Amino acid sequence: QKEVEQDPGPLSVPEGAIVSLNCTYSNSAFQYFMWYRQYSRKGPELLMYTYSSGNKEDGRFTAQVDKSSKYISLFIRDSQPSDSATYLCAPSNSGYALNFGKGTSLLVTP
Amino acid sequence: KAGVTQTPRYLIKTRGQQVTLSCSPISGHRSVSWYQQTPGQGLQFLFEYFSETQRNKGNFPGRFSGRQFSNSRSEMNVSTLELGDSALYLCASKPRGSTDTQYFGPGTRLTVL
């Protein structure tokens, strides 16, 4: 079993929709949970960073961690075409990302 | 402040050859990490260098190696290239600590024929 599982999509939604992106992980030692966004032909950029369980909100983005079920989510409200990208989850037991999901490709259509 | 730069951006090699990729971190950043990204395996950690010393290593064969110079610039080398080494190789830098945010470069696209 891979340490991090993520549905690759692609996921296509209309502009304004609420998007839910999810990952599961197997290592209960993971305490840091990161989401990266990667545009085509670019390197990943850190979008959200949470520690331990709970929710964290940043503008239209909300990251949610459920350590009991080893399940992490990223919600995007009022999605925009500029949100079209690949989203990678990266749980970690240190502060930096060693284990990434394969990424979910998101397309937001106008 | 300039971002992480990687050279070259694209590279084509044949099986059995070796290749060296270069990464210049953000000014002041002392940690450089390398990753391999493929459609099949996703983004996988290769190794991290900090102050010219390898601090962490992923699960890759010894054909993959790296080094860091005193100015924090880093190179990674892949010897005896295989078709499966075709990938996007990403470099990321951060100031120093394990909890610092790391910043990725645009990557080097390596194609092995």
Side-chain angles (χ1 to χ4, degrees), chain A residues 2 32 36 38 41-46 49 88 94-98 100-102, chain B residues 9 35 37 40-43 45 48 56 88 90 94 98-99 101-102 104-106:
Chain A
K2 275 189 71 74
Y32 300 86
Y36 284 81
Q38 186 174 19
R41 299 190 192 85
K42 301 274 191 181
E45 58 176 338
L46 183 65
Y49 183 118
L88 303 110
S94 67
Y96 57 96
L98 299 178
F100 286 84
K102 290 187 181 180
Chain B
R9 292 292 311 278
Y35 297 81
Q37 188 173 34
Q41 297 298 319
L43 192 58
F45 173 75
E48 183 204 5
N56 215 333
L88 181 67
L90 291 155
K94 60 185 178 179
S98 63
T99 55
T101 298
Q102 59 181 1
F104 282 84

Side-chain angles (χ1 to χ4, degrees), chain A residues 29-89:
Chain A
F30 289 155
Q31 295 279 359
Y32 300 86
F33 303 92
M34 291 158 273
W35 282 95
Y36 284 81
R37 177 175 61 192
Q38 186 174 19
Y39 290 112
S40 180
R41 299 190 192 85
K42 301 274 191 181
E45 58 176 338
L46 183 65
L47 193 59
M48 300 279 288
Y49 183 118
T50 56
Y51 175 75
S52 195
S53 281
N55 293 359
K56 183 175 182 179
E57 191 173 316
D58 184 0
R60 297 183 295 110
F61 298 88
T62 299
Q64 195 172 76
V65 177
D66 182 349
K67 291 184 67 181
S68 62
S69 59
K70 300 188 183 69
Y71 194 84
I72 53 181
S73 302
L74 178 71
F75 298 97
I76 307 174
R77 292 187 302 279
D78 187 26
S79 56
Q80 303 294 310
S82 59
D83 295 328
S84 298
T86 297
Y87 291 80
L88 303 110
C89 63

Side-chain angles (χ1 to χ4, degrees), chain B residues 38-51:
Chain B
T38 60
Q41 297 298 319
L43 192 58
Q44 296 184 283
F45 173 75
L46 280 155
F47 29 65
E48 183 204 5
Y49 285 87
F50 180 81
S51 293

Side-chain angles (χ1 to χ4, degrees), chain B residues 45-64:
Chain B
F45 173 75
L46 280 155
F47 29 65
E48 183 204 5
Y49 285 87
F50 180 81
S51 293
E52 302 178 67
T53 301
Q54 190 178 86
R55 186 158 72 171
N56 215 333
K57 188 177 188 305
N59 189 25
F60 276 80
R63 299 186 297 107
F64 293 82

